[in-house]
């Protein structure tokens, strides 16, 4: 069976687009699985989750939700390596932008899905 060049071109484009979409979808979900969140002080030391509850009224600006490719289950007092993203726990929009709930407490080692900044370092709001 012979196909015209136009049909061959359309089939090739469709196959390549489908393969690329599948590849990119697989890459995105891998990055999302690696992201976890911890409540830390300004030195990157894991502290009690209560300090990063958006209702916490003490020590403004001294505690952060720190997101990165960290191991879940790290205890309070662990110092996280550089390369994560800091988010002000009182900034509802920033929390949501990075895939966290807009309000409330974030549990230590909580996996973060969606959001921007997956797998890269940098600074949040």
């Amino acid at each position: 069976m012979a196909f015209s060049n136009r049909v061959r071109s359309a089939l090739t484009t469709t196959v390549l687009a489908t393969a690329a979409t599948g590849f990119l979808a697989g890459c995105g979900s891998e990055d999302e699985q690696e992201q976890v969140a911890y409540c830390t002080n300004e030195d990157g030391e894991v502290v009690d989750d209560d300090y990063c509850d958006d209702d916490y009224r003490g020590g403004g600006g001294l505690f952060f939700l720190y997101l990165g490719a960290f191991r879940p289950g790290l205890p309070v007092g662990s110092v996280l390596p550089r390369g994560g993203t800091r988010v002000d726990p009182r900034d509802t929009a920033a929390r949501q932008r990075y895939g966290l709930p807009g309000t409330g407490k974030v549990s230590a080692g909580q996996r973060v899905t969606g959001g921007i900044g997956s797998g890269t370092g940098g600074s949040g709001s």
Side-chain angles (χ1 to χ4, degrees):
M1 177 188 260
F3 292 107
S4 70
N5 285 339
R6 184 177 296 162
V7 171
R8 270 190 215 139
S9 177
L11 286 173
T12 300
T13 301
T14 302
V15 169
L16 289 175
T18 303
T21 301
F23 175 77
L24 291 174
C27 290
S29 62
E30 183 178 323
D31 285 344
E32 290 170 1
Q33 292 174 355
E34 292 180 11
Q35 294 292 293
V36 294
Y38 283 99
C39 180
T40 69
N41 63 19
E42 58 190 342
D43 297 322
E45 182 179 334
V46 176
V47 297
D48 189 271
D49 298 340
D50 289 336
Y51 293 116
C52 288
D53 188 327
D54 64 320
D55 287 332
Y56 179 70
R57 297 294 174 221
L62 298 177
F63 300 101
F64 302 92
L65 290 166
Y66 201 48
L67 312 173
F70 310 122
R71 190 177 84 232
L74 295 174
V76 169
S78 299
V79 176
L80 298 177
R82 294 184 184 270
T85 301
R86 283 185 181 186
V87 178
D88 183 338
R90 300 165 297 174
D91 185 342
T92 301
R95 287 169 62 126
Q96 291 174 332
R97 189 169 49 246
Y98 286 96
L100 296 165
T103 61
K105 190 182 338 183
V106 175
S107 301
Q110 176 176 328
R111 290 191 184 277
V112 179
T113 58
I116 60 175
S118 327
T120 59
S123 255
S125 306

mmCIF file of all heavy atoms in Angstrom, residues 35-40 45-53 64-68 70-78 80 95 100-101 104-112:
data_model
loop_
_atom_site.group_PDB
_atom_site.id
_atom_site.type_symbol
_atom_site.label_atom_id
_atom_site.label_comp_id
_atom_site.label_asym_id
_atom_site.label_seq_id
_atom_site.Cartn_x
_atom_site.Cartn_y
_atom_site.Cartn_z
ATOM 1 N N GLN A 35 9.641 16.127 45.476
ATOM 2 C CA GLN A 35 9.513 17.317 46.303
ATOM 3 C C GLN A 35 8.863 16.998 47.648
ATOM 4 O O GLN A 35 7.805 16.394 47.698
ATOM 5 C CB GLN A 35 8.661 18.373 45.589
ATOM 6 C CG GLN A 35 9.285 18.925 44.337
ATOM 7 C CD GLN A 35 10.505 19.755 44.647
ATOM 8 O OE1 GLN A 35 10.392 20.804 45.253
ATOM 9 N NE2 GLN A 35 11.661 19.291 44.243
ATOM 10 N N VAL A 36 9.510 17.407 48.721
ATOM 11 C CA VAL A 36 8.927 17.303 50.058
ATOM 12 C C VAL A 36 9.100 18.648 50.755
ATOM 13 O O VAL A 36 9.940 19.455 50.375
ATOM 14 C CB VAL A 36 9.556 16.165 50.905
ATOM 15 C CG1 VAL A 36 9.243 14.796 50.332
ATOM 16 C CG2 VAL A 36 11.046 16.339 51.049
ATOM 17 N N ALA A 37 8.273 18.900 51.766
ATOM 18 C CA ALA A 37 8.293 20.177 52.479
ATOM 19 C C ALA A 37 8.635 19.967 53.942
ATOM 20 O O ALA A 37 8.191 18.993 54.557
ATOM 21 C CB ALA A 37 6.936 20.855 52.358
ATOM 22 N N TYR A 38 9.406 20.888 54.483
ATOM 23 C CA TYR A 38 9.728 20.903 55.909
ATOM 24 C C TYR A 38 9.596 22.326 56.411
ATOM 25 O O TYR A 38 9.833 23.288 55.668
ATOM 26 C CB TYR A 38 11.169 20.436 56.154
ATOM 27 C CG TYR A 38 11.355 18.950 56.050
ATOM 28 C CD1 TYR A 38 11.855 18.380 54.894
ATOM 29 C CD2 TYR A 38 11.019 18.114 57.112
ATOM 30 C CE1 TYR A 38 12.023 17.009 54.792
ATOM 31 C CE2 TYR A 38 11.184 16.745 57.014
ATOM 32 C CZ TYR A 38 11.682 16.201 55.856
ATOM 33 O OH TYR A 38 11.844 14.839 55.758
ATOM 34 N N CYS A 39 9.274 22.470 57.684
ATOM 35 C CA CYS A 39 9.289 23.763 58.345
ATOM 36 C C CYS A 39 10.693 23.937 58.903
ATOM 37 O O CYS A 39 11.189 23.071 59.631
ATOM 38 C CB CYS A 39 8.250 23.802 59.462
ATOM 39 S SG CYS A 39 8.187 25.372 60.342
ATOM 40 N N THR A 40 11.339 25.045 58.549
ATOM 41 C CA THR A 40 12.716 25.275 58.995
ATOM 42 C C THR A 40 12.877 26.682 59.560
ATOM 43 O O THR A 40 12.073 27.564 59.289
ATOM 44 C CB THR A 40 13.729 25.124 57.840
ATOM 45 O OG1 THR A 40 13.558 26.196 56.922
ATOM 46 C CG2 THR A 40 13.585 23.790 57.136
ATOM 47 N N GLU A 45 17.394 24.545 59.493
ATOM 48 C CA GLU A 45 17.230 23.476 60.477
ATOM 49 C C GLU A 45 15.746 23.171 60.642
ATOM 50 O O GLU A 45 14.928 24.069 60.823
ATOM 51 C CB GLU A 45 17.808 23.911 61.823
ATOM 52 C CG GLU A 45 17.734 22.839 62.893
ATOM 53 C CD GLU A 45 18.340 23.315 64.202
ATOM 54 O OE1 GLU A 45 19.213 24.203 64.179
ATOM 55 O OE2 GLU A 45 17.941 22.777 65.245
ATOM 56 N N VAL A 46 15.390 21.887 60.562
ATOM 57 C CA VAL A 46 13.997 21.475 60.690
ATOM 58 C C VAL A 46 13.504 21.793 62.102
ATOM 59 O O VAL A 46 14.163 21.457 63.093
ATOM 60 C CB VAL A 46 13.828 19.963 60.394
ATOM 61 C CG1 VAL A 46 12.385 19.517 60.612
ATOM 62 C CG2 VAL A 46 14.288 19.633 58.974
ATOM 63 N N VAL A 47 12.346 22.488 62.177
ATOM 64 C CA VAL A 47 11.725 22.846 63.453
ATOM 65 C C VAL A 47 10.316 22.278 63.489
ATOM 66 O O VAL A 47 9.820 21.735 62.503
ATOM 67 C CB VAL A 47 11.700 24.383 63.663
ATOM 68 C CG1 VAL A 47 13.117 24.947 63.744
ATOM 69 C CG2 VAL A 47 10.918 25.078 62.571
ATOM 70 N N ASP A 48 9.647 22.415 64.621
ATOM 71 C CA ASP A 48 8.283 21.920 64.781
ATOM 72 C C ASP A 48 7.358 22.555 63.737
ATOM 73 O O ASP A 48 7.447 23.746 63.445
ATOM 74 C CB ASP A 48 7.784 22.247 66.195
ATOM 75 C CG ASP A 48 6.464 21.560 66.476
ATOM 76 O OD1 ASP A 48 5.417 22.170 66.177
ATOM 77 O OD2 ASP A 48 6.481 20.423 66.971
ATOM 78 N N ASP A 49 6.459 21.745 63.200
ATOM 79 C CA ASP A 49 5.532 22.187 62.150
ATOM 80 C C ASP A 49 4.679 23.383 62.576
ATOM 81 O O ASP A 49 4.246 24.172 61.731
ATOM 82 C CB ASP A 49 4.597 21.048 61.744
ATOM 83 C CG ASP A 49 5.331 19.856 61.169
ATOM 84 O OD1 ASP A 49 6.478 20.021 60.724
ATOM 85 O OD2 ASP A 49 4.744 18.763 61.160
ATOM 86 N N ASP A 50 4.415 23.532 63.872
ATOM 87 C CA ASP A 50 3.560 24.624 64.343
ATOM 88 C C ASP A 50 4.110 25.994 63.952
ATOM 89 O O ASP A 50 3.352 26.934 63.749
ATOM 90 C CB ASP A 50 3.387 24.566 65.863
ATOM 91 C CG ASP A 50 2.517 23.393 66.296
ATOM 92 O OD1 ASP A 50 1.699 22.920 65.474
ATOM 93 O OD2 ASP A 50 2.671 22.942 67.447
ATOM 94 N N TYR A 51 5.418 26.124 63.827
ATOM 95 C CA TYR A 51 6.019 27.409 63.473
ATOM 96 C C TYR A 51 5.668 27.844 62.047
ATOM 97 O O TYR A 51 5.777 29.020 61.712
ATOM 98 C CB TYR A 51 7.540 27.368 63.617
ATOM 99 C CG TYR A 51 8.003 27.220 65.037
ATOM 100 C CD1 TYR A 51 8.708 26.096 65.446
ATOM 101 C CD2 TYR A 51 7.742 28.218 65.981
ATOM 102 C CE1 TYR A 51 9.142 25.967 66.752
ATOM 103 C CE2 TYR A 51 8.172 28.090 67.297
ATOM 104 C CZ TYR A 51 8.866 26.955 67.671
ATOM 105 O OH TYR A 51 9.293 26.832 68.965
ATOM 106 N N CYS A 52 5.290 26.907 61.202
ATOM 107 C CA CYS A 52 4.964 27.233 59.812
ATOM 108 C C CYS A 52 3.473 27.177 59.534
ATOM 109 O O CYS A 52 3.048 27.255 58.385
ATOM 110 C CB CYS A 52 5.716 26.304 58.864
ATOM 111 S SG CYS A 52 7.474 26.660 58.802
ATOM 112 N N ASP A 53 2.660 27.051 60.577
ATOM 113 C CA ASP A 53 1.220 27.174 60.414
ATOM 114 C C ASP A 53 0.947 28.630 60.080
ATOM 115 O O ASP A 53 1.512 29.526 60.703
ATOM 116 C CB ASP A 53 0.519 26.775 61.712
ATOM 117 C CG ASP A 53 -0.990 26.688 61.565
ATOM 118 O OD1 ASP A 53 -1.565 27.466 60.770
ATOM 119 O OD2 ASP A 53 -1.589 25.858 62.260
ATOM 120 N N PHE A 64 10.339 29.182 57.679
ATOM 121 C CA PHE A 64 10.021 29.009 56.270
ATOM 122 C C PHE A 64 9.540 27.589 56.006
ATOM 123 O O PHE A 64 9.959 26.651 56.676
ATOM 124 C CB PHE A 64 11.270 29.241 55.403
ATOM 125 C CG PHE A 64 11.877 30.584 55.578
ATOM 126 C CD1 PHE A 64 12.879 30.788 56.514
ATOM 127 C CD2 PHE A 64 11.440 31.656 54.819
ATOM 128 C CE1 PHE A 64 13.449 32.040 56.679
ATOM 129 C CE2 PHE A 64 12.000 32.909 54.985
ATOM 130 C CZ PHE A 64 13.002 33.105 55.919
ATOM 131 N N LEU A 65 8.702 27.453 54.989
ATOM 132 C CA LEU A 65 8.437 26.141 54.420
ATOM 133 C C LEU A 65 9.541 25.960 53.384
ATOM 134 O O LEU A 65 9.735 26.804 52.514
ATOM 135 C CB LEU A 65 7.061 26.112 53.761
ATOM 136 C CG LEU A 65 5.903 26.168 54.746
ATOM 137 C CD1 LEU A 65 4.599 26.473 54.038
ATOM 138 C CD2 LEU A 65 5.818 24.860 55.511
ATOM 139 N N TYR A 66 10.309 24.905 53.523
ATOM 140 C CA TYR A 66 11.463 24.667 52.668
ATOM 141 C C TYR A 66 11.158 23.459 51.810
ATOM 142 O O TYR A 66 10.907 22.364 52.329
ATOM 143 C CB TYR A 66 12.678 24.446 53.557
ATOM 144 C CG TYR A 66 14.019 24.671 52.911
ATOM 145 C CD1 TYR A 66 14.289 25.806 52.157
ATOM 146 C CD2 TYR A 66 15.038 23.749 53.074
ATOM 147 C CE1 TYR A 66 15.538 26.018 51.583
ATOM 148 C CE2 TYR A 66 16.290 23.952 52.517
ATOM 149 C CZ TYR A 66 16.530 25.088 51.774
ATOM 150 O OH TYR A 66 17.770 25.297 51.211
ATOM 151 N N LEU A 67 11.129 23.633 50.493
ATOM 152 C CA LEU A 67 10.766 22.578 49.557
ATOM 153 C C LEU A 67 11.987 22.126 48.773
ATOM 154 O O LEU A 67 12.801 22.956 48.359
ATOM 155 C CB LEU A 67 9.727 23.090 48.559
ATOM 156 C CG LEU A 67 8.538 23.837 49.118
ATOM 157 C CD1 LEU A 67 7.698 24.408 48.004
ATOM 158 C CD2 LEU A 67 7.722 22.930 49.987
ATOM 159 N N GLY A 68 12.095 20.833 48.556
ATOM 160 C CA GLY A 68 13.197 20.327 47.750
ATOM 161 C C GLY A 68 13.172 18.821 47.653
ATOM 162 O O GLY A 68 12.244 18.159 48.109
ATOM 163 N N PHE A 70 14.298 16.462 49.260
ATOM 164 C CA PHE A 70 14.793 15.969 50.539
ATOM 165 C C PHE A 70 14.138 14.635 50.877
ATOM 166 O O PHE A 70 13.049 14.337 50.424
ATOM 167 C CB PHE A 70 14.489 16.968 51.661
ATOM 168 C CG PHE A 70 14.905 18.373 51.348
ATOM 169 C CD1 PHE A 70 13.988 19.391 51.358
ATOM 170 C CD2 PHE A 70 16.224 18.669 51.030
ATOM 171 C CE1 PHE A 70 14.354 20.691 51.064
ATOM 172 C CE2 PHE A 70 16.612 19.966 50.738
ATOM 173 C CZ PHE A 70 15.675 20.975 50.751
ATOM 174 N N ARG A 71 14.793 13.868 51.710
ATOM 175 C CA ARG A 71 14.270 12.591 52.181
ATOM 176 C C ARG A 71 13.117 12.855 53.150
ATOM 177 O O ARG A 71 13.235 13.690 54.042
ATOM 178 C CB ARG A 71 15.397 11.822 52.860
ATOM 179 C CG ARG A 71 15.055 10.389 53.179
ATOM 180 C CD ARG A 71 16.232 9.663 53.786
ATOM 181 N NE ARG A 71 16.262 9.947 55.219
ATOM 182 C CZ ARG A 71 17.309 10.400 55.890
ATOM 183 N NH1 ARG A 71 18.439 10.648 55.271
ATOM 184 N NH2 ARG A 71 17.248 10.617 57.178
ATOM 185 N N PRO A 72 11.981 12.182 52.993
ATOM 186 C CA PRO A 72 10.903 12.340 53.975
ATOM 187 C C PRO A 72 11.297 11.700 55.310
ATOM 188 O O PRO A 72 12.147 10.815 55.353
ATOM 189 C CB PRO A 72 9.715 11.611 53.349
ATOM 190 C CG PRO A 72 10.213 10.870 52.171
ATOM 191 C CD PRO A 72 11.619 11.316 51.884
ATOM 192 N N GLY A 73 10.705 12.179 56.399
ATOM 193 C CA GLY A 73 10.919 11.575 57.706
ATOM 194 C C GLY A 73 12.109 12.101 58.481
ATOM 195 O O GLY A 73 12.527 11.480 59.455
ATOM 196 N N LEU A 74 12.672 13.233 58.083
ATOM 197 C CA LEU A 74 13.800 13.793 58.826
ATOM 198 C C LEU A 74 13.299 14.369 60.150
ATOM 199 O O LEU A 74 12.262 15.028 60.188
ATOM 200 C CB LEU A 74 14.490 14.890 58.012
ATOM 201 C CG LEU A 74 15.168 14.441 56.731
ATOM 202 C CD1 LEU A 74 15.680 15.650 55.947
ATOM 203 C CD2 LEU A 74 16.303 13.481 57.037
ATOM 204 N N PRO A 75 14.021 14.147 61.235
ATOM 205 C CA PRO A 75 13.562 14.634 62.545
ATOM 206 C C PRO A 75 13.864 16.118 62.766
ATOM 207 O O PRO A 75 14.714 16.704 62.084
ATOM 208 C CB PRO A 75 14.361 13.772 63.527
ATOM 209 C CG PRO A 75 15.625 13.453 62.796
ATOM 210 C CD PRO A 75 15.230 13.330 61.345
ATOM 211 N N VAL A 76 13.171 16.708 63.739
ATOM 212 C CA VAL A 76 13.444 18.078 64.159
ATOM 213 C C VAL A 76 14.919 18.165 64.539
ATOM 214 O O VAL A 76 15.466 17.257 65.158
ATOM 215 C CB VAL A 76 12.539 18.464 65.358
ATOM 216 C CG1 VAL A 76 12.991 19.773 65.980
ATOM 217 C CG2 VAL A 76 11.086 18.549 64.921
ATOM 218 N N GLY A 77 15.575 19.230 64.126
ATOM 219 C CA GLY A 77 16.999 19.410 64.397
ATOM 220 C C GLY A 77 17.883 19.071 63.208
ATOM 221 O O GLY A 77 19.043 19.484 63.165
ATOM 222 N N SER A 78 17.355 18.329 62.229
ATOM 223 C CA SER A 78 18.136 18.024 61.025
ATOM 224 C C SER A 78 18.357 19.308 60.242
ATOM 225 O O SER A 78 17.470 20.152 60.157
ATOM 226 C CB SER A 78 17.387 17.038 60.128
ATOM 227 O OG SER A 78 17.155 15.824 60.786
ATOM 228 N N LEU A 80 18.834 20.834 56.596
ATOM 229 C CA LEU A 80 18.613 20.459 55.201
ATOM 230 C C LEU A 80 19.726 21.015 54.319
ATOM 231 O O LEU A 80 20.236 22.113 54.573
ATOM 232 C CB LEU A 80 17.268 21.004 54.722
ATOM 233 C CG LEU A 80 16.048 20.472 55.471
ATOM 234 C CD1 LEU A 80 14.778 21.146 54.961
ATOM 235 C CD2 LEU A 80 15.939 18.968 55.334
ATOM 236 N N ARG A 95 2.311 29.855 48.765
ATOM 237 C CA ARG A 95 2.105 28.455 49.162
ATOM 238 C C ARG A 95 1.413 27.694 48.044
ATOM 239 O O ARG A 95 1.843 26.602 47.659
ATOM 240 C CB ARG A 95 1.272 28.385 50.444
ATOM 241 C CG ARG A 95 2.023 28.793 51.693
ATOM 242 C CD ARG A 95 1.099 28.959 52.876
ATOM 243 N NE ARG A 95 0.431 27.724 53.218
ATOM 244 C CZ ARG A 95 0.446 27.168 54.424
ATOM 245 N NH1 ARG A 95 1.093 27.746 55.414
ATOM 246 N NH2 ARG A 95 -0.187 26.046 54.653
ATOM 247 N N LEU A 100 1.464 23.778 47.675
ATOM 248 C CA LEU A 100 1.100 23.550 49.076
ATOM 249 C C LEU A 100 -0.325 24.035 49.313
ATOM 250 O O LEU A 100 -0.825 24.874 48.565
ATOM 251 C CB LEU A 100 2.053 24.319 49.996
ATOM 252 C CG LEU A 100 3.509 23.889 49.964
ATOM 253 C CD1 LEU A 100 4.384 24.948 50.619
ATOM 254 C CD2 LEU A 100 3.665 22.556 50.654
ATOM 255 N N PRO A 101 -0.967 23.558 50.387
ATOM 256 C CA PRO A 101 -2.276 24.121 50.714
ATOM 257 C C PRO A 101 -2.112 25.600 51.081
ATOM 258 O O PRO A 101 -1.100 25.992 51.669
ATOM 259 C CB PRO A 101 -2.746 23.293 51.914
ATOM 260 C CG PRO A 101 -1.534 22.636 52.458
ATOM 261 C CD PRO A 101 -0.547 22.528 51.331
ATOM 262 N N GLY A 104 -3.188 26.672 56.832
ATOM 263 C CA GLY A 104 -3.018 25.549 57.750
ATOM 264 C C GLY A 104 -1.578 25.102 57.884
ATOM 265 O O GLY A 104 -0.659 25.688 57.342
ATOM 266 N N LYS A 105 -1.429 24.023 58.619
ATOM 267 C CA LYS A 105 -0.108 23.470 58.906
ATOM 268 C C LYS A 105 0.296 22.496 57.805
ATOM 269 O O LYS A 105 -0.525 21.757 57.279
ATOM 270 C CB LYS A 105 -0.155 22.742 60.249
ATOM 271 C CG LYS A 105 1.197 22.350 60.760
ATOM 272 C CD LYS A 105 1.260 21.577 62.064
ATOM 273 C CE LYS A 105 0.126 21.658 62.988
ATOM 274 N NZ LYS A 105 0.347 20.915 64.226
ATOM 275 N N VAL A 106 1.570 22.491 57.463
ATOM 276 C CA VAL A 106 2.131 21.534 56.505
ATOM 277 C C VAL A 106 2.972 20.560 57.313
ATOM 278 O O VAL A 106 3.851 20.960 58.059
ATOM 279 C CB VAL A 106 3.006 22.251 55.450
ATOM 280 C CG1 VAL A 106 3.681 21.242 54.537
ATOM 281 C CG2 VAL A 106 2.168 23.233 54.642
ATOM 282 N N SER A 107 2.673 19.274 57.191
ATOM 283 C CA SER A 107 3.393 18.256 57.958
ATOM 284 C C SER A 107 4.816 18.077 57.441
ATOM 285 O O SER A 107 5.055 18.138 56.235
ATOM 286 C CB SER A 107 2.668 16.910 57.863
ATOM 287 O OG SER A 107 1.366 17.034 58.351
ATOM 288 N N ALA A 108 5.739 17.836 58.355
ATOM 289 C CA ALA A 108 7.142 17.609 57.987
ATOM 290 C C ALA A 108 7.253 16.438 57.024
ATOM 291 O O ALA A 108 6.680 15.383 57.246
ATOM 292 C CB ALA A 108 7.970 17.337 59.236
ATOM 293 N N GLY A 109 7.980 16.654 55.953
ATOM 294 C CA GLY A 109 8.189 15.603 54.966
ATOM 295 C C GLY A 109 7.023 15.394 54.033
ATOM 296 O O GLY A 109 7.009 14.436 53.270
ATOM 297 N N GLN A 110 6.048 16.311 54.054
ATOM 298 C CA GLN A 110 4.879 16.180 53.176
ATOM 299 C C GLN A 110 5.317 16.282 51.729
ATOM 300 O O GLN A 110 6.081 17.155 51.354
ATOM 301 C CB GLN A 110 3.873 17.294 53.482
ATOM 302 C CG GLN A 110 2.674 17.280 52.535
ATOM 303 C CD GLN A 110 1.654 18.339 52.918
ATOM 304 O OE1 GLN A 110 1.492 18.657 54.083
ATOM 305 N NE2 GLN A 110 0.968 18.872 51.934
ATOM 306 N N ARG A 111 4.847 15.340 50.918
ATOM 307 C CA ARG A 111 5.166 15.373 49.492
ATOM 308 C C ARG A 111 4.376 16.505 48.847
ATOM 309 O O ARG A 111 3.222 16.721 49.153
ATOM 310 C CB ARG A 111 4.817 14.058 48.828
ATOM 311 C CG ARG A 111 5.744 12.944 49.252
ATOM 312 C CD ARG A 111 5.537 11.714 48.380
ATOM 313 N NE ARG A 111 6.353 10.624 48.846
ATOM 314 C CZ ARG A 111 7.629 10.471 48.531
ATOM 315 N NH1 ARG A 111 8.222 11.348 47.776
ATOM 316 N NH2 ARG A 111 8.312 9.456 48.985
ATOM 317 N N VAL A 112 5.041 17.207 47.935
ATOM 318 C CA VAL A 112 4.423 18.329 47.251
ATOM 319 C C VAL A 112 4.219 17.941 45.798
ATOM 320 O O VAL A 112 5.153 17.514 45.128
ATOM 321 C CB VAL A 112 5.328 19.582 47.331
ATOM 322 C CG1 VAL A 112 4.692 20.743 46.608
ATOM 323 C CG2 VAL A 112 5.614 19.925 48.781
#
